[in-house]
Amino acid sequence: MSKCAQEFSVGKQVCFQIGKVINSHFPNLEERILALTDPRMRKEYKLSELILGGIMMSVFNSGSRNAFDQDRKDPLFSENYTRVFKLKLPSCDAIDDVMRAISTNELEQLKCQVLHSLLAKRVLHKFRFQNQYFMISVDATGIASYSSDYCGECTSKTSKNGNTTYFHHVLEAKLVTTNDMAFSIGTEWIRNSEQGEYDKQDCELNAFKRLAAKLKKEFPRLPILILVDALYANEPFFKICIEHGWEFIVTFKDGNLPSVHQEIDLLPPSARKHAERLIPGANKSFKKQNYTYIDNIDYKGIALSYVKCEEQIQSPNAEDKIKTFTHLSSIKACAKNYERISCSGRLRWVIENSFDYLKNHGYNMKHKYSRVSFTALRNYYQCMMIAHMINQFVEKSKDLQPALKKDSKMTIKYLWKRLCTFFLEVDIDSVEYDHFVRKRNQIRLA
């Protein structure tokens, strides 16, 4: 097979897999979009065509409205888009008009409805902690910065030199899995503190109060395990989780909760449980893990568990390195779950990896998709979160793993580059495509 034919084959695989994922896991997406309130007076396109266009901008990893518009202007790309998604592809100007006008709450609700559907189908149940709790990682990240408060709602910080920076930060709650997937389940935009400027701890914790209320309202009966960094090792966070009936695992550092450190130091050796694990690696290397766990530590009437893991990778060809991971949890630590608590606490990093991926690997989350409208910025963001859900199922599907393993240099970014080439260069057979995506077969995840 020629190199060109191989590239088209890879692009075809990605295209067909996207269709398979949407048909299987997001079958009612268009109907859900059409149920939204349409703010327009003139209606050249269906609302589903405009919102799906905003989602597909990120599915195709276009990185900007201009780049997606350039592809749209190619007649074959637009024809293939219609053949595959059964909808017209509107201009990005038309998409932007509706993004500035439609309610941000409605698009976030659309995202939640999609996630409700995944949960109802039990797609993510096998990734639960102890077959019970869905792991929700919470963290903040920056989206865009500006030289002025263009929307009147920018967060701001003034340096010692008197220079003021305006920006938008967001607090995200993402359902994370053991195979490194992260699905946005709740979004709260961070505001300035009551003192008038951005303060990381104050602003983020206040945003968490609003985000927690939103999550509880949207998913009232979902069994949740919250994963957070050391910023949240405090009484208000613990109480919010307890009030909502959630469990939690918090990264625990030396400067956190002095009274807890003091109680741990005063405990007799008999209160500390120890365990050791050896995990074989490649080339005669192995990972040695020493665990210490303590149960029922009292902090202002709140019972906490303490789990510490000292991990050492020993290899004949490299210097031994020791890493320490320490966590506090509301879950009672015992011989059956101490390792799971530690590993789940470390899964908090999945949300940070997802931020990096969305910013630097095709989605271009830092790009100012709308420079004049905060409403549009938030709506593009929610479209990107839905697109990221779709793409993760595609990337993690076992159907695509052979293509990735066949060439060690092939990356996820390369797969999406081939997808665009396929839409631009090949007449897609809609009959073959429809037959493939409608076949009743399970999407297996790697």
Side-chain angles (χ1 to χ4, degrees), residues 46 149 229:
K46 293 192 295 184
D149 186 1
D229 63 21

Side-chain angles (χ1 to χ4, degrees), residues 19-20 23 86 433-441:
K20 183 178 176 181
N23 186 68
K86 313 304 184 234
Y433 171 86
D434 292 342
H435 175 72
F436 178 86
V437 301
R438 290 172 183 169
K439 286 192 299 184
R440 293 177 64 100
N441 50 10

Side-chain angles (χ1 to χ4, degrees), residues 227-390:
L227 313 177
V228 287
D229 63 21
L231 178 71
Y232 294 85
N234 55 63
E235 185 182 8
F237 168 76
F238 298 154
K239 285 187 173 180
I240 290 172
C241 291
I242 292 169
E243 287 170 4
H244 291 319
W246 302 337
E247 304 293 349
F248 58 82
I249 301 176
V250 187
T251 301
F252 189 45
K253 293 185 177 180
D254 290 342
N256 301 137
L257 308 180
S259 64
V260 174
H261 281 288
Q262 185 177 15
E263 183 172 347
I264 291 172
D265 292 339
L266 292 174
L267 286 172
S270 59
R272 305 167 189 266
K273 304 295 191 298
H274 300 278
E276 182 180 294
R277 295 186 73 249
L278 294 177
I279 304 173
N283 300 321
K284 298 182 179 180
S285 66
F286 65 90
K287 186 186 296 182
K288 181 180 180 181
Q289 295 177 328
N290 289 311
Y291 288 93
T292 301
Y293 58 97
I294 307 168
D295 185 37
N296 202 29
I297 299 170
D298 178 73
Y299 176 69
K300 298 184 178 181
I302 301 169
L304 300 172
S305 293
Y306 167 91
V307 180
K308 180 180 179 180
C309 173
E310 293 180 317
E311 183 176 276
Q312 182 179 15
I313 298 176
Q314 298 182 342
S315 171
N317 301 321
E319 182 180 350
D320 295 351
K321 296 181 180 179
I322 298 178
K323 295 181 179 179
T324 301
F325 307 95
T326 310
H327 298 92
L328 295 178
S329 178
S330 59
I331 297 173
K332 183 177 180 179
C334 64
K336 294 182 178 180
N337 69 5
Y338 68 87
E339 179 193 3
R340 192 77 175 93
I341 290 174
S342 181
C343 292
S344 297
R346 278 180 271 174
L347 274 180
R348 185 193 67 78
W349 285 97
V350 174
I351 192 172
E352 295 196 8
N353 292 339
S354 76
F355 289 150
D356 175 72
Y357 196 74
L358 288 165
K359 290 177 181 179
N360 303 310
H361 297 273
Y363 296 87
N364 203 10
M365 188 170 74
K366 295 181 293 185
H367 180 71
K368 299 179 179 69
Y369 283 91
S370 181
R371 294 175 178 269
V372 296
S373 170
F374 185 37
T375 296
L377 183 148
R378 287 180 288 176
N379 284 330
Y380 281 119
Y381 181 86
Q382 296 299 345
C383 287
M384 187 178 292
M385 295 304 102
I386 296 172
H388 191 220
M389 288 186 196
I390 296 169

Side-chain angles (χ1 to χ4, degrees), residues 132-136 138 173 185-186 207-228 232 236-250 302-304 329-331:
Q132 182 177 1
Y133 299 105
F134 290 94
M135 293 177 286
I136 309 295
V138 176
I185 191 172
F208 177 74
K209 294 175 186 177
R210 302 190 300 271
L211 178 61
K214 187 185 294 185
L215 280 178
K216 188 63 179 178
K217 181 180 179 181
E218 188 62 43
F219 302 92
R221 291 179 294 277
L222 190 70
I224 286 177
L225 171 61
I226 299 285
L227 313 177
V228 287
Y232 294 85
F237 168 76
F238 298 154
K239 285 187 173 180
I240 290 172
C241 291
I242 292 169
E243 287 170 4
H244 291 319
W246 302 337
E247 304 293 349
F248 58 82
I249 301 176
V250 187
I302 301 169
L304 300 172
S329 178
S330 59
I331 297 173

Side-chain angles (χ1 to χ4, degrees), residues 44-54 81 87-88 90 95:
E44 181 181 354
Y45 296 100
K46 293 192 295 184
L47 186 62
S48 55
E49 291 172 329
L50 293 161
I51 301 300
L52 191 69
Y81 182 96
L87 295 169
K88 291 188 292 184
I95 294 172

